[in-house]
Amino acid sequence: PAFASPSVLSTVSVAVADATAKLGAGTNESYTLSIPADATAASVTAATPYGALHALTTLSQLVDRDAVAGSGLRIAGLPVVIDDAPRYEHRGLLMDSARHYLNISTIMRTIDGLAQNKLNVLHWHITDAESFPLEVPGFPALAGSGAYTPLLVYNADDVAAVVAHAAARGVRVIPELDTPGHSYAWGLGYDNLTASCPTYRYVSNINNIPLDPTAEWTWTVLQAIVQQLAQQFPDDVVHAGGDEVVTECWELDPDIAAWMRNKGWTDYTQLLGYHVTRLGGMIAAQGKTVVQWIEVFDAGVKGLAKDTVFQVWKGKDELYSVVEAGYRAILSDSDAWYLNCGMNPGCAYSSWQTCYSNEPTPPGTVTPAQEKLVIGGEAALWSEFTNDGNVDQQLWPRLSAVAERLWSPRDVANVTAAEPRLAYHSCRMQARGGLDSGPIAPGFCDVRVF
Amino acid sequence: PAFASPSVLSTVSVAVADATAKLGAGTNESYTLSIPADATAASVTAATPYGALHALTTLSQLVDRDAVAGSGLRIAGLPVVIDDAPRYEHRGLLMDSARHYLNISTIMRTIDGLAQNKLNVLHWHITDAESFPLEVPGFPALAGSGAYTPLLVYNADDVAAVVAHAAARGVRVIPELDTPGHSYAWGLGYDNLTASCPTYRYVSNINNIPLDPTAEWTWTVLQAIVQQLAQQFPDDVVHAGGDEVVTECWELDPDIAAWMRNKGWTDYTQLLGYHVTRLGGMIAAQGKTVVQWIEVFDAGVKGLAKDTVFQVWKGKDELYSVVEAGYRAILSDSDAWYLNCGMNPGCAYSSWQTCYSNEPTPPGTVTPAQEKLVIGGEAALWSEFTNDGNVDQQLWPRLSAVAERLWSPRDVANVTAAEPRLAYHSCRMQARGGLDSGPIAPGFCDVRVF
């Protein structure tokens, strides 16, 4: 025609097979997205609303500014036919609200970022040795004395708001109740919850002070918290912690030592096993599956539920050991996916290329059956050196590289091909607002970015 | 009294000996600040307005929220008598607006942060191989083609605004004209400004493409820029660059090779010397002192002005060599004060402790006379992995640790004593707004922070 009118995408039809599907482990997230050459309509089909959400995210990312026309927006690469599904069902980020309290607004905008990258799990490491910021109504001193200040707590409304914000964006929230190690802050409110070892040579290292699993009072409190978490977090998974338990404080606590003698136990790994299996049973009784840190596997604890999932922060050999033993596993290897490294002494900054190239199961490492037991991965942002003021910069754009590793097939692994796509995506995340980040290389954001 | 009234600081008297003193190298920044026990009045005396500014900064930092009264503010440690002066006259930060363009607002809020930390120099590394964002009216293609886009330039109004913002806060702005290396972007607008070496095996490494100092046209352009910088930047110092000059491209340019033969020169270090001394003369003719990167010293260039200052980014041994040779020196050693390291491959993150403990001249390294030639130091934030979205987080709070090293006497060096002070100061910078940063350790910001 002599005068072309720009076409307008006036309709996006969405067909979802099971509109009531629940968000959780194993939810079908596949989708198809079709846009004909004239771009007047788009159609989405998906098994669940969560697949449809991913389709709409993709659609929004196919749009940029029309540099040729000089104004307006365009969809590149028409006609579009995309048939997409994630490689892994579990694609997450660990956030730590104990080393520093994170504002709800920080957690929510991070969830927005997860959704923009088709990540579907927020692993909320709520408590740790340094603070216990979760309000537990039956035991008010837990947060009352365990939080940094009474202002820096998460009450029931806060948790509900985070869970709802996440669910609306296809993001599961898995709470972590890190026990029996990393529990010093529990004892600030109720000192008989934690082991007592004033003669311990590293007593000032609060990370080494565990709960006292030999006291029934501890189990009264744990039972209340497990019930609360089951109610507050609809996800079918609870993380029970289990990492870095140092038994020396237990050994120096005379009451615990007496309890051990009474049991006829001499190996404190038995006490770890007692704690882990009893707590795991409590969680299972709420209808939830348990995730444990890899140390629980390494300790050879007996009697764990066969559906226990182990999260591996050490090397990939541990990942393979877990799946060889028939358990499911989540990869969070610290040398690639610990996004706090670099600020933390003792571990080096992980470049986006390292994040991207971190293939969980290179050819030859596991059998096809074992590979199915690797359900996904998580990046982790431990917050010793992170607060609301620098979360975004530590996460992005590297977390986008992790996201592609977890979503795309193994052979989508070319760093050179990924670089311009990641740079553009990073600019887009900034242009669309809310999340700051640094760049991945010298340059600037293309003015077409929308 | 039965009912005490809180006292009100109603008067701050400021006496400045020379109210017209110019901000520049060697400006007297000393001050005294006295607040009597009743805190109803404070008095400041200073040789110059810049010392008085530091006094007011200190005064503002003596104020926090009154946690005892529960409301209002208080001044701790009354009566206060402070007699203060900097150890070094040159206490700076290098910002690089070439690897990424930095918005004027970013530069201005960073200047605010410098002032809060009594840093007094912004070393503005304006151009580099990647981009030439400075508008030069006589040569419009320099920024027209050398900037990333025509939007990402600094015009005369921008520069004037930065200089005025800095001057009002006691911060000098020293422009860097990095030549003859790191000049690839100059050639984007005027290709005969840079050496031509299409057969160079690393021709795609734009950092290795230098200016062509054998062409008089190059000097016409340099003369215009030097004059412009002299007018735009009132400071009495100009940085002439001189770092990382790779001569191989020169050697492969037949016109340059012919010029060398005509001179009877065979060593391309002679060409470097020719460039540096001729440019230095141009800058000196504008009444300005020249700073050069350490490579110019290392190359043994003859005929440099004796008042040339060398900026040392390599190890401290180079610092000592410079002052042993009778030149003045600025320390910016990359293993401590390069705040971009950690994000950049090839150099490790520098903790705040490393920044803080970086004593320029430990006992036994230099004579007292040589020590006087160490005029200060600069942290550097090279911006390959920095843009407006993460500048703050990369600078703060580590730059505060550098600031104390450069201001305070050598024996104020106890890391354990500095930690709570730095943590509090970092919280204060965040509480007062404008500058985000991460924390230096697990914890939270005290509610008293103001």
Side-chain angles (χ1 to χ4, degrees):
Chain A
F3 302 94
S5 296
S7 62
V8 174
L9 178 65
S10 55
T11 309
V12 179
S13 60
V14 179
V16 173
D18 178 4
T20 62
K22 185 169 174 286
L23 177 65
T27 296
N28 187 324
E29 298 175 274
S30 66
Y31 68 89
T32 64
L33 169 64
S34 305
I35 315 172
D38 68 1
T40 53
S43 63
V44 168
T45 62
T48 72
Y50 305 101
L53 269 177
H54 293 317
L56 296 175
T57 299
T58 296
L59 174 59
S60 85
Q61 293 173 351
L62 293 173
V63 176
D64 65 9
R65 294 191 199 284
D66 191 333
V68 177
S71 67
L73 303 171
R74 62 166 198 150
I75 294 176
L78 293 169
V80 169
V81 180
I82 293 173
D83 187 355
D84 202 7
R87 176 179 176 193
Y88 292 114
E89 70 174 64
H90 187 110
R91 307 178 308 281
L93 169 69
L94 178 152
M95 295 186 89
D96 166 8
S97 62
R99 273 60 177 262
H100 283 89
Y101 181 85
L102 299 173
N103 285 332
I104 292 295
S105 61
T106 297
I107 297 173
M108 287 190 176
R109 83 172 175 271
T110 301
I111 289 168
D112 297 346
L114 299 183
Q116 289 181 51
N117 290 273
K118 300 192 178 78
L119 291 163
N120 68 348
V121 172
L122 173 66
H123 169 173
W124 190 355
H125 183 87
I126 308 178
T127 67
D128 208 292
E130 285 82 354
S131 75
F132 190 112
L134 181 70
E135 272 195 9
V136 179
F139 299 95
L142 280 171
S145 298
Y148 285 122
T149 84
L151 296 171
L152 300 180
V153 298
Y154 303 107
N155 63 28
D157 289 345
D158 294 330
V159 172
V162 167
V163 167
H165 189 89
R169 287 156 183 79
V171 175
R172 305 160 54 191
V173 184
I174 296 179
E176 178 177 349
L177 183 66
D178 195 3
T179 67
H182 290 283
S183 302
Y184 174 81
W186 298 52
L188 295 173
Y190 302 100
D191 64 3
N192 45 4
L193 281 177
T194 44
S196 175
C197 52
T199 62
Y200 175 39
R201 59 193 166 142
Y202 301 123
V203 70
S204 66
N205 183 348
I206 61 175
N207 277 305
N208 291 359
I209 308 302
L211 287 185
D212 178 0
T214 70
E216 283 306 308
W217 158 246
T218 301
W219 293 101
T220 303
V221 174
L222 283 170
Q223 177 66 42
I225 298 175
V226 166
Q227 283 181 318
Q228 176 177 326
L229 293 181
Q231 288 158 13
Q232 290 184 322
F233 294 89
D235 201 78
D236 38 25
V237 174
V238 168
H239 200 303
D243 59 319
E244 299 184 320
V245 180
V246 179
T247 61
E248 203 167 341
C249 182
W250 277 345
E251 296 171 31
L252 291 167
D253 182 320
D255 292 340
I256 294 175
W259 187 92
M260 288 282 289
R261 277 194 302 277
N262 191 42
K263 283 268 189 188
W265 291 354
T266 52
D267 179 357
Y268 280 81
T269 304
Q270 293 172 286
L271 182 55
L272 173 64
Y274 169 80
H275 176 88
V276 165
T277 52
R278 186 167 173 183
L279 180 60
M282 273 185 177
I283 294 170
Q286 299 290 331
K288 308 280 186 177
T289 305
V290 176
V291 184
Q292 297 278 0
W293 288 107
I294 185 63
E295 286 93 330
V296 172
F297 177 83
D298 291 341
V301 169
K302 309 291 183 202
L304 291 169
K306 202 57 197 169
D307 66 353
T308 301
V309 178
F310 291 101
Q311 184 165 8
V312 178
W313 64 269
K314 299 179 178 181
K316 290 202 193 76
D317 284 349
E318 299 250 15
L319 183 79
Y320 309 145
S321 297
V322 168
V323 297
E324 281 163 18
Y327 290 101
R328 290 177 297 163
I330 296 166
L331 181 65
S332 298
D333 40 350
S334 60
D335 54 359
W337 285 350
Y338 269 26
L339 300 181
N340 51 293
C341 283
M343 326 300 147
N344 283 42
C347 59
Y349 184 81
S350 198
S351 68
W352 78 264
Q353 293 93 334
T354 298
C355 290
Y356 189 75
S357 301
N358 190 38
E359 166 56 37
T361 53
T365 52
V366 293
T367 67
Q370 289 163 357
E371 190 165 1
K372 290 202 177 98
L373 295 173
V374 178
I375 62 171
E378 292 180 7
L381 183 59
W382 299 103
S383 71
E384 282 88 346
F385 299 91
T386 300
N387 61 15
D388 296 308
N390 67 343
V391 167
D392 296 0
Q393 289 76 15
Q394 292 196 17
L395 290 179
W396 311 106
R398 294 181 296 157
L399 186 53
S400 299
V402 178
E404 180 153 305
R405 177 59 38 243
L406 291 170
W407 178 280
S408 296
R410 184 161 65 189
D411 61 2
V412 179
N414 185 314
V415 168
T416 307
E419 178 162 349
R421 193 164 69 250
L422 176 59
Y424 193 93
H425 181 60
S426 173
C427 287
R428 178 167 52 214
M429 286 183 66
Q430 292 173 65
R432 292 186 180 184
L435 288 159
D436 281 327
S437 80
I440 61 170
F444 66 105
C445 283
D446 191 303
V447 292
R448 285 183 300 122
V449 170
F450 168 68
Chain B
F3 302 94
S5 296
S7 62
V8 173
L9 178 65
S10 55
T11 308
V12 179
S13 59
V14 178
V16 173
D18 177 5
T20 63
K22 185 169 174 287
L23 177 65
T27 296
N28 187 323
E29 297 176 274
S30 67
Y31 68 90
T32 64
L33 169 65
S34 305
I35 315 172
D38 69 1
T40 54
S43 62
V44 168
T45 62
T48 72
Y50 305 101
L53 269 177
H54 293 317
L56 296 176
T57 299
T58 296
L59 174 59
S60 85
Q61 293 173 352
L62 293 173
V63 176
D64 66 9
R65 294 191 199 284
D66 191 332
V68 177
S71 67
L73 304 171
R74 62 167 199 150
I75 293 176
L78 293 168
V80 169
V81 180
I82 293 174
D83 187 354
D84 202 7
R87 176 179 176 192
Y88 292 114
E89 70 173 64
H90 187 111
R91 307 178 307 281
L93 169 69
L94 178 153
M95 295 186 89
D96 166 8
S97 62
R99 273 60 177 262
H100 284 90
Y101 181 86
L102 300 173
N103 286 331
I104 292 295
S105 61
T106 297
I107 297 173
M108 287 190 176
R109 82 172 174 271
T110 301
I111 289 168
D112 297 346
L114 299 183
Q116 289 181 50
N117 290 274
K118 300 192 179 77
L119 291 163
N120 68 348
V121 172
L122 174 65
H123 169 173
W124 190 355
H125 184 87
I126 307 177
T127 67
D128 208 292
E130 286 82 353
S131 75
F132 190 113
L134 181 70
E135 272 195 9
V136 180
F139 300 94
L142 280 172
S145 298
Y148 284 122
T149 84
L151 296 171
L152 300 179
V153 298
Y154 303 107
N155 63 28
D157 289 345
D158 294 330
V159 172
V162 167
V163 167
H165 189 89
R169 287 155 184 79
V171 175
R172 305 160 54 192
V173 184
I174 296 179
E176 178 178 348
L177 182 66
D178 195 2
T179 68
H182 289 284
S183 302
Y184 174 82
W186 298 53
L188 295 174
Y190 302 100
D191 63 3
N192 45 3
L193 281 177
T194 44
S196 175
C197 52
T199 62
Y200 175 39
R201 60 193 164 142
Y202 300 124
V203 70
S204 66
N205 183 349
I206 60 175
N207 277 305
N208 291 359
I209 308 303
L211 287 185
D212 178 0
T214 70
E216 283 306 309
W217 158 246
T218 301
W219 293 101
T220 303
V221 174
L222 283 170
Q223 177 66 42
I225 298 175
V226 166
Q227 282 181 318
Q228 176 177 326
L229 294 180
Q231 288 159 14
Q232 289 183 324
F233 294 89
D235 201 78
D236 38 24
V237 174
V238 168
H239 200 302
D243 58 320
E244 299 184 321
V245 180
V246 179
T247 61
E248 202 167 342
C249 183
W250 278 344
E251 297 171 30
L252 291 168
D253 182 320
D255 292 340
I256 294 175
W259 188 92
M260 288 282 288
R261 277 194 303 276
N262 191 42
K263 283 268 189 189
W265 290 355
T266 52
D267 180 356
Y268 280 81
T269 304
Q270 292 172 286
L271 182 55
L272 174 64
Y274 169 80
H275 176 89
V276 165
T277 51
R278 186 167 172 182
L279 180 60
M282 272 185 178
I283 294 170
Q286 299 291 331
K288 307 282 186 176
T289 305
V290 177
V291 184
Q292 297 279 0
W293 288 107
I294 184 63
E295 285 92 330
V296 173
F297 177 83
D298 291 342
V301 169
K302 309 291 183 202
L304 291 169
K306 202 58 198 168
D307 66 353
T308 301
V309 178
F310 290 101
Q311 184 165 8
V312 179
W313 64 269
K314 299 178 177 181
K316 290 201 193 77
D317 284 349
E318 299 250 16
L319 183 79
Y320 310 145
S321 298
V322 169
V323 297
E324 281 163 17
Y327 290 101
R328 290 177 298 165
I330 296 166
L331 181 65
S332 297
D333 40 350
S334 60
D335 55 358
W337 285 350
Y338 268 26
L339 300 181
N340 51 293
C341 283
M343 325 301 147
N344 283 42
C347 60
Y349 184 81
S350 197
S351 69
W352 78 264
Q353 293 93 335
T354 298
C355 290
Y356 189 74
S357 301
N358 189 39
E359 166 56 36
T361 53
T365 52
V366 293
T367 68
Q370 289 163 358
E371 190 164 0
K372 289 202 178 98
L373 296 173
V374 178
I375 62 171
E378 292 180 7
L381 183 59
W382 298 102
S383 72
E384 282 87 346
F385 299 91
T386 300
N387 60 16
D388 296 309
N390 67 342
V391 167
D392 296 0
Q393 290 75 15
Q394 292 196 17
L395 290 179
W396 311 105
R398 294 180 297 157
L399 186 52
S400 299
V402 178
E404 181 152 305
R405 177 58 38 243
L406 291 170
W407 178 281
S408 295
R410 183 161 65 189
D411 60 3
V412 179
N414 185 314
V415 169
T416 307
E419 178 162 350
R421 193 164 69 251
L422 176 59
Y424 193 93
H425 181 60
S426 173
C427 287
R428 177 167 52 212
M429 285 183 67
Q430 292 173 65
R432 292 186 179 184
L435 289 159
D436 280 327
S437 80
I440 61 170
F444 66 106
C445 283
D446 191 304
V447 293
R448 285 184 299 122
V449 171
F450 168 69

